[in-house]
Amino acid sequence: MVLEKMERPSPYLGKVSGLIKTDMLTSKVLTEGLKRIVKLEGMDEKKESFEKTKIITKGVVVAISSEAKQKIIKSS
Amino acid sequence: MHSIDIEKLEKLAELSVNTGLGLQRGQNLLITAPSDALPLVRFIAKHAYKAGAGLVTPFFSDSEITLARYKYASDDSFDVAADWLYKGMGEAFDNNTARMAIAGDDPMLLSDMDPEKVGRANKANSKAYKPARERITQFDINWNIIAWPGLAWAKRMFPDLAEGEAQSRLAEAIFMASRVNTDDPVAAWNIHNQKLKEKREWLNQKDFKEIHFKGPGTDLKVGLADDHEWMGGASMSQNGIICNPNIPSEEVFTTPHALRVEGHVSSTKPLSHQGTLIDDIRVVFEKGSITEANASKGEAVLKKVLDSDEGARRLGEVALVPNSSPISSSGLLFYNTLFDENAACHIALGQCYSKCFKGEKNLSTSEIKDRGGNSSMIHIDWMIGSGEIDIDGFGKNGETVPIFRKGEWVD
């Protein structure tokens, strides 16, 4: 069964927006996504401290600071 | 317009009102459609009023206006949605208004636009539409999707043909797949729905714990979720009206158990995912999760999809479609799931359908998980059926029952 584009549920979208109400699952999903992006792209010290937004997956776009990236690299 | 058979277009409209929606006398109707689908929407309104509709209200989207926003709007524009409109839609659904969606806009419209802006606009829309969307996904009302042969879509399917010819070919393919090519499409759908119902009820009565796909490159055992229910064809919405949510629809489907899938499986048709073709997919499942994945084309995209989140490597749907379905017989790739998922037996990676469980229809996330339903941000169907696939069902008492032989239902 197919839902119309505007009616396809985006389970975490509402929660991701503003990151006000995140639950454990959402946090885990976002953390895993961020880890993968950081592993793929690595760190670029020359870049500005706050980089452009990253697409974790379809419909999920987040902004990552270099500081956050560094923490993720150290923790993974 | 000259390239589309007007008589068949009107038959499609009539079918969508009577069989798709089951529109009731006095019921209002809300339609969303791409602006170039106006001829189809006019026919739908005509047949809706003939069926006794109270008020038909169409809303149109337009590709040029959408692109103008991305090209010229101020940055603030992308965090804004028409909250008032979505609130009104929600109120309409609360008051038993039926919902019709016309698919067929340009699948690649926003591919060259700034993904950050697209993401923000989608987020704003998704948030504003959420209350109304839930009324659709929970089947509070009768709803239906049919397709309009949009020009951009037609050119994607038939890039070597002139515009008019491509649109005509797509229109004929839609009419064929929707069973509008018959003398009496409503009667043809009644027969079709009856067949799907028989298969659905038989599978539910058998209550298999596992089904086994066997064919070239495939030996896959798919455990089914606890309390799973097979669905497909016409279904009754919570307002008591029987509707066919998708036209076309050839599938009978249910929720697999996220932890109980073992073996290997090969795709039998290419998967079109966000503008990339992924072909010859071969994956290995262990304890429900994909441990190896390869593709002759688009392998990097496939692996990225699998890494979307924890549930992306597990199954959220298994669907049975005979190889003789009209869409399969056409040999066409539509680049649109409404059609392509009805070409062959398929499995879907990612999120399961919460409706495919017996009893209570509004299960919580943890209740679905307890029954083995998968959770993910993605839901991507890919085809594993062919004329060479055999499927057996394994019962809870150890019995084996043939379901498909050589790609067709065993009668």
Side-chain angles (χ1 to χ4, degrees), chain B residues 96-117:
Chain B
N96 200 33
T97 293
R99 161 91 169 101
M100 168 90 69
I102 314 292
D105 49 8
D106 182 355
M108 302 301 285
L109 183 69
L110 299 178
S111 56
D112 292 333
M113 298 298 114
D114 181 351
E116 194 240 345
K117 287 179 177 172

Side-chain angles (χ1 to χ4, degrees), chain B residues 383-397:
Chain B
M383 308 303 139
I384 62 166
S386 70
E388 295 174 274
I389 203 93
D390 289 342
I391 307 171
D392 287 320
F394 293 133
K396 285 171 180 159
N397 299 320

Side-chain angles (χ1 to χ4, degrees), chain A residues 1-14 16-18 25 28-30 32-33 36 53 55-61, chain B residues 86 99 101-102 105 115-116 119 123 126 129 133 136-137 139 143 145 246 251 253 274 307-310 337-338 341 353 375-377:
Chain A
M1 189 178 61
V2 174
L3 289 163
E4 171 59 355
K5 193 159 52 186
M6 65 192 287
E7 278 144 19
R8 281 173 213 153
S10 310
Y12 309 114
L13 219 51
V16 170
S17 172
L25 182 60
K28 202 174 168 191
V29 168
L30 285 173
E32 287 303 312
R36 282 189 197 105
T53 52
I55 303 170
I56 290 182
T57 185
K58 190 184 177 188
V60 180
V61 182
Chain B
Y86 297 141
R99 161 91 169 101
I102 314 292
D105 49 8
E116 194 240 345
K123 194 188 292 180
S126 183
Y129 190 59
R133 180 176 59 230
I136 303 293
T137 56
F139 269 86
W143 58 273
I145 308 178
N246 289 179
E251 60 171 353
F253 60 100
Q274 290 175 19
D307 285 343
S308 303
D309 61 33
E310 205 177 283
T337 310
L338 180 62
E341 75 162 6
Y353 283 119
S375 173
S376 172
M377 280 184 283

